[in-house]
Amino acid sequence: MRHGRPSTEQLRRNFDSVLTDVLSGRGVRTETGLDTPTENALWAIARARPNAPDALVAAAYRAFAGQLDGTNAAAWRAEMDRRIAARGAPRGGVTAAEPGTA
């Protein structure tokens, strides 16, 4: 069992491995440390097999880059803030933890 977050190098190895898997006709493994946008992009490739267009592979690389640079997490936090504001909850109150950070 792994404790803590995977390193950037572990994430890169996991992404490369899962990408190879989906391009070979297998699905996306769980517990890889990859975030939801990256997993969703990989699942899109798996669903498009055997003729996954290059655009889907490029989208998976972009999603993974967003995981590494924090863009995906920032978008998730912005969406949660928007949802909380839409409900009329006071800002600065209790917020949900980002998936994988609690």
Side-chain angles (χ1 to χ4, degrees):
M1 175 186 338
R2 179 184 358 201
H3 296 281
R5 294 184 184 176
S7 69
T8 299
E9 184 55 36
Q10 288 170 322
L11 287 171
R12 287 183 196 283
R13 282 194 309 264
N14 289 347
F15 176 79
D16 290 340
S17 175
V18 175
L19 179 59
T20 298
D21 287 349
V22 297
L23 288 170
S24 299
R26 293 186 285 282
V28 177
R29 294 185 316 269
T30 60
E31 304 301 324
T32 60
L34 300 174
D35 66 6
T36 300
T38 303
E39 285 187 354
N40 289 346
L42 291 164
W43 274 115
I45 294 169
R47 285 189 300 273
R49 279 262 315 133
N51 299 314
D54 291 342
L56 288 179
V57 175
Y61 276 105
R62 282 191 306 275
F64 181 58
Q67 177 173 356
L68 294 181
D69 71 12
T71 304
N72 296 352
W76 184 90
R77 284 189 298 275
E79 176 61 15
M80 291 302 103
D81 286 347
R82 184 197 65 74
R83 288 182 184 189
I84 291 167
R87 289 184 172 181
R91 292 194 56 76
V94 176
T95 59
E98 181 180 351
T101 63

